[in-house]
Amino acid sequence: MTDLTVVELCAGAGGQSLGLERAGFSHVAAIDNDVDACITLSRNRPEWDVIEGDIAEVKGAGFRGVDLLAAGVPCPPFSIAGKQLGADDERDLFPEAIRLVREIRPRAVMIENVRGLLADRFKEYRASVRQQLKRLGYEVHWELLHASNYGVPQLRPRSILVAMQPEFDHEFFWPKRVVDPPTVGEMLVDLMAARGWGGASRWAARASSIAPTIVGGSKKHGGPDLGPTRARERWRQLGVDGLGIADAAPAPDFPIDGIPRLTSRMVARIQGFPDDWLFSGTKTAAYRQIGNAFPPPVAEAVGSAIRRALEGEPVAAGQLRLAASA
């Protein structure tokens, strides 16, 4: 397998980046406007060209001809609580992503976002995106993928857009389910026991299902927690205090039947990051990066499907094309 090239927009803490790297893509550039995220990327992959800045200021001509343009454009405009987009909504970075597709002309495009983008109220918006990409010569597919189908122990449904140049499009198939996820307890029991807490095994038995979707929040809000009231109630059922993030695993004197909080490292593992992936910034900044990330195993699955299409590899038996409606 030879490395293909990728330029990544809104790279964040590197969840999509890491997944695409595992899928066989080599980063020409990783771009984000958050200083902590850029430091995170540079610390973990010092050989990458990490660019801190607004993607509106990025000129695509210097990246012309890369194999893949990937992006995780901001989610708030398309969240359940989001308002209907206006024509000049500054939160919407799809226009900038499409501009860069036009300037770079990659062989393939991959854009990740929240499931809300596939709601009926955004049907016209999706149709507009599809039409713009088709005018540029791409075949467009949208699908809802669940992270739990790729070994990630949380719900986390995500909308994924893949656009291919026509000569590669007939070879693209959405990745099929690869593995059942572990439970939260199975995933985190060793980290819960790291400081000698005697209740770790008992806690793991209680945390016997996957997690609700991890949310990162925005810079406008306060410290880190595990989401709104409903999500925190679900965490409570798993034996987790979702009102904040702990600095360390429970100490030996923590009550054996206590309700611990997760550390940032625990949350990162639930997102699919390896334990050696380091996050820059304060606890709040680190958690925000983790919570907003695209789980690496899902990015790897989609990236591998794109790579197979670009390289003309045969598809596994039983694989189906499952394209979501516009």
Side-chain angles (χ1 to χ4, degrees), residues 121-265:
R121 63 176 171 151
F122 293 119
K123 185 174 182 178
E124 291 184 5
Y125 185 88
R126 295 194 306 275
S128 174
V129 170
R130 183 186 296 271
Q131 184 179 45
Q132 292 176 72
L133 288 171
K134 285 186 73 68
R135 284 200 201 106
L136 294 174
Y138 293 86
E139 298 299 328
V140 182
H141 309 280
W142 237 308
E143 188 60 80
L144 179 69
L145 298 184
H146 294 264
S148 57
N149 286 339
Y150 304 95
V152 179
Q154 62 170 309
L155 294 173
R156 206 167 191 85
R158 309 301 285 180
S159 72
I160 312 294
L161 177 151
V162 170
M164 309 285 294
Q165 290 183 356
E167 60 264 42
F168 308 108
D169 180 66
H170 68 285
E171 299 287 350
F172 175 73
F173 295 83
W174 291 105
K176 60 182 178 181
R177 180 181 187 141
V178 293
V179 63
D180 290 330
T183 68
V184 171
E186 291 169 338
M187 179 64 75
L188 300 183
V189 62
D190 62 319
L191 295 181
M192 280 294 180
R195 297 178 63 205
W197 179 41
S201 295
R202 182 175 179 176
W203 171 84
R206 178 177 178 180
S208 59
S209 66
I210 63 173
T213 299
I214 301 249
V215 294
S218 70
K219 294 181 180 180
K220 296 180 180 179
H221 296 90
D225 60 46
L226 294 178
T229 301
R230 187 173 179 181
R232 292 200 300 269
E233 289 174 352
R234 179 61 187 137
W235 280 109
R236 189 83 180 182
Q237 294 171 11
L238 294 172
V240 172
D241 178 356
L243 287 174
I245 298 297
D247 293 321
D253 60 352
F254 191 76
I256 198 166
D257 58 351
I259 307 293
R261 293 182 177 183
L262 303 182
T263 64
S264 291
R265 178 51 56 195

